[in-house]
Amino acid sequence: MPLQQATLDGSKRKASSTPEPPAKRKKAEEGSRSSTQAEEYGIVDRQFYPPEMTNERCAQYNSNQLERPIEAFERAQQATEGMRDAIDVHQAVVHWFKNDLRTLDNKSLNLASKLAKSHGVPLICLHIVSPQDYKAHMTSPARVDFVLRTLKVLKADLADRDIPLHVETVDKRKDVPARIFELCDKWGASHLFCNIEYEVDELRREAQITEKGLGRGIAVTALHDTCVVAPGELSSGSGKPYAVYSPWYRAWVAKIHQHPQQLDLFDPPSENPKASRQDFNAIFEATIPDAPPNKRLTDEEKKRFSNMWPPGEHEAQERLDKFLKERVNKYKDTRNFPAANSTAMLSVHYASGTLSARTSIVRARNANSTQRLDGGNEGIKGWISELAWRDFYKHVLVNWPYVCMNKPFKPEYTKIRWEYDEDLFQKWCSGQTGYPFIDAAMRQLNYMGYMHNRARMGVASFLAKDLLIDWRRGERYFMEHLIDGDFASNNGGWGFSASTGVDPQPYFRIFNPYLQSERFDPDGEYIRKWVPELANVRGKAIHDPYERGAEREARKNGYPKVCVTHKASRDRALARYKEGLGRDTA
């Protein structure tokens, strides 16, 4: 997520007595209005972040005038490599768990374990609960609950290997690095391992702790592990990063085929010395903290999410097994139908790191008739290509870091005049728009903390184009409610649907919610499950009850009429996008 900037544009402007041209003054006024609205409607959280970045600053990133956070991190790694290598192993080695809550195929955990074993010292694991990070990252209470439940499973798994897992709450996010160093000092650890996170704040933090660790006599090793192919390893023929998925995917597949070691899996950690049980008894006996007050569920919600989303990597492996055995062969034909129960339902595990994409791809490849990732069974091939989107969006995050700073991939789309109609936004949030497919999807989200991907595209397009509400409000709502909320994937999905992102749907292509409903829920099964007011409506009327003969049933059960008409909304969206962009095509 964004890190605070010293100034808005990185420079000081001299006062001038020459009045600004009207066009420039109007542009500045529009920018000010946009920034104010972003703060007023919670898009920019000023407790943690600066005002909305200017388009000019985005252009500086694109022209390489500003150093990207990944570049600062790599510079810190290179500058300190020799000094870090020279630090001797002392009394312990520490692995810092973040969004990698697994023992299987965890690169940092594996290397930390090997180093500890080679020197005959214990491995100690660590996880920090950070309430301010949860707030700043818009992490949903459902996801926080899933992480804490997963930590209990992970703690028990590690304990079976006599490895302690220390979990504590640090109230202020700025205090997290210092507290980690304090714990390393307490345990006599001179080596700290972790896997890299690719958001802006996290990359800058990783660079800072790499450098500051040396002052404490601690070698910090931060590793690429989340992506199968690390950001920076793929570039187009012109040497630039890919901004379109299809050529990126071809390069991604070619890279893996040429370097099959990219799919080598990492073994779980070795057992600790038996004395670790006694030496770290207090850690073994400690319990996992409760959720912070700002992210707590009700008792009913805890029970519901626990039943729907069992935690831990064992559950993830079982789901993967079941999907590959029972559903992957038909995946290509069934994946777009929300009622079909045809997807893997593993997104929560990728988001929290209880399952690696690398493991999933290896297992899928091994179930195929070929070792090629882009060949063989259509269902398996299609599923692997869908998994690759997770890598793609993280590559985008790294190469265009301002998408992590409340800016669209295409900064010029900030010129569009969005609406901030609170009544319409609340109808969208609660599934009361009068469009059954849209309402079913939003109600699924609110109840399960999850929404089928086809439905995500539909509701996102509806908010941005039918309601013309700033897409970033929807992006935030998703993050605050999804149990599988992942910033890069969520941002990328919203950018596609609102036509503001990388490889977007052209802005003039606007989903018709009725046609989406008829195409992807033809029998209305999904709608009837989540919109009980229409449970007794039969036939095509399920998609548009008030206009197709089911008005009496809908009205009797309190289902609302449409809050906007699609045709008029479509015309308004086309005019507004054209006005903002000054052209007819994206």
Side-chain angles (χ1 to χ4, degrees), residues 275-379:
S276 301
R277 278 283 180 174
Q278 181 176 347
D279 294 342
F280 302 103
N281 182 63
I283 299 178
F284 282 107
E285 294 298 323
T287 58
I288 303 300
D290 292 331
N294 65 332
K295 295 295 178 180
R296 286 181 184 164
L297 298 172
T298 65
D299 289 342
E300 185 277 328
E301 289 170 331
K302 284 183 179 180
K303 183 177 180 181
R304 185 201 322 159
F305 286 115
S306 179
N307 289 335
M308 288 189 294
W309 305 105
E313 64 182 314
H314 307 295
E315 170 68 18
Q317 294 287 339
E318 289 176 9
R319 287 195 178 205
L320 177 60
D321 283 342
K322 185 173 182 179
F323 173 70
L324 292 176
K325 290 177 182 177
E326 299 177 4
R327 299 198 296 274
V328 74
N329 290 333
K330 298 179 180 178
Y331 178 77
K332 180 185 177 183
D333 298 324
T334 60
R335 68 183 181 88
N336 279 313
F337 299 94
N341 190 31
S342 61
T343 61
M345 299 291 282
L346 286 168
S347 54
V348 63
H349 294 285
Y350 297 129
S352 298
T354 46
L355 178 66
S356 73
R358 189 168 47 235
T359 294
S360 298
I361 290 169
V362 168
R363 296 277 298 282
R365 181 196 63 186
N366 292 345
N368 204 349
S369 58
T370 175
Q371 293 294 289
R372 293 191 60 83
L373 302 185
D374 56 352
N377 181 280
E378 290 295 326

Side-chain angles (χ1 to χ4, degrees), residues 165-266:
L165 172 60
H166 176 81
V167 182
E168 72 169 76
T169 300
V170 177
D171 290 329
K172 295 183 179 179
R173 65 196 307 232
K174 67 180 180 64
D175 294 338
V176 169
R179 179 55 181 158
I180 291 175
F181 288 144
E182 287 175 1
L183 290 169
C184 287
D185 289 341
K186 176 182 177 181
W187 298 325
S190 57
H191 285 74
L192 170 68
F193 285 76
C194 65
N195 290 316
I196 299 168
E197 295 177 303
Y198 293 113
E199 291 82 3
V200 166
D201 272 4
E202 283 62 41
L203 281 172
R204 289 177 175 164
R205 178 196 62 200
E206 254 72 303
Q208 290 167 359
I209 66 172
T210 298
E211 294 171 337
K212 290 181 178 180
L214 291 175
R216 306 284 292 258
I218 298 171
V220 178
T221 303
L223 301 159
H224 292 285
D225 187 55
T226 302
C227 295
V228 177
V229 176
E233 291 190 14
L234 300 178
S235 58
S236 66
S238 62
K240 295 181 179 180
Y242 289 99
V244 177
Y245 177 75
S246 295
W248 175 92
Y249 179 65
R250 290 192 292 271
W252 183 85
V253 169
K255 176 79 172 182
I256 297 172
H257 287 167
Q258 293 163 8
H259 304 277
Q261 68 273 18
Q262 301 264 183
L263 290 177
D264 288 348
L265 304 182
F266 293 92

Side-chain angles (χ1 to χ4, degrees), residues 26-171:
K26 180 181 178 182
K27 183 178 179 181
E29 289 171 354
E30 289 174 349
S32 176
R33 182 178 68 244
S34 173
S35 180
T36 300
Q37 289 172 326
E39 294 173 22
E40 180 181 351
Y41 290 96
I43 295 166
V44 177
D45 189 339
R46 290 303 308 280
Q47 179 181 354
F48 305 108
Y49 306 128
E52 183 180 330
M53 179 185 288
T54 63
N55 288 1
E56 289 75 16
R57 191 172 178 86
C58 296
Q60 289 177 323
Y61 275 114
N62 288 338
S63 61
N64 298 317
Q65 296 177 55
L66 287 177
E67 184 180 53
R68 293 171 177 82
I70 190 68
E71 295 162 348
F73 167 75
E74 290 171 344
R75 179 166 48 79
Q77 289 272 295
Q78 294 166 4
T80 62
E81 184 176 8
M83 290 178 282
R84 288 185 288 116
D85 288 345
I87 294 177
D88 293 330
V89 174
H90 291 172
Q91 299 170 12
V93 175
V94 174
H95 168 72
W96 174 17
F97 278 109
K98 293 181 278 186
N99 291 324
D100 57 336
L101 304 180
R102 63 185 182 276
T103 63
L104 300 172
D105 193 31
N106 186 321
K107 185 176 183 179
S108 170
L109 180 64
N110 173 272
L111 296 184
S113 174
K114 285 181 176 178
L115 183 64
K117 185 176 182 180
S118 68
H119 288 78
V121 300
L123 170 67
I124 303 173
C125 293
L126 166 71
H127 180 83
I128 298 295
V129 175
S130 175
Q132 284 195 343
D133 275 317
Y134 287 155
K135 184 176 186 297
H137 296 170
M138 304 174 286
T139 309
S140 73
R143 182 171 172 190
V144 172
D145 174 72
F146 183 83
V147 165
L148 295 176
R149 288 188 288 119
T150 290
L151 286 168
K152 293 179 182 178
V153 176
L154 182 61
K155 186 178 178 74
D157 289 342
L158 291 168
D160 288 342
R161 299 173 182 270
D162 295 317
I163 300 171
L165 172 60
H166 176 81
V167 182
E168 72 169 76
T169 300
V170 177
D171 290 329

Side-chain angles (χ1 to χ4, degrees), residues 507-574:
Y507 82 77
F508 52 81
R509 187 177 300 151
I510 299 175
F511 285 152
N512 182 319
Y514 296 127
L515 295 181
Q516 290 283 300
S517 182
E518 292 175 359
R519 182 177 178 185
F520 299 115
D521 189 30
D523 299 324
E525 185 179 350
Y526 180 65
I527 292 171
R528 291 187 186 91
K529 178 175 181 177
W530 294 107
V531 187
E533 303 99 296
L534 304 180
N536 295 323
V537 175
R538 294 289 173 253
K540 296 294 184 182
I542 191 73
H543 307 292
D544 184 10
Y546 281 92
E547 296 298 324
R548 297 186 182 181
E551 177 177 356
R552 183 176 179 180
E553 181 72 13
R555 189 185 300 277
K556 179 183 71 174
N557 293 321
Y559 186 70
K561 287 187 174 182
V562 296
C563 59
V564 294
T565 59
H566 175 65
K567 185 180 185 307
S569 296
R570 182 181 187 280
D571 292 343
R572 181 182 66 161
L574 290 173

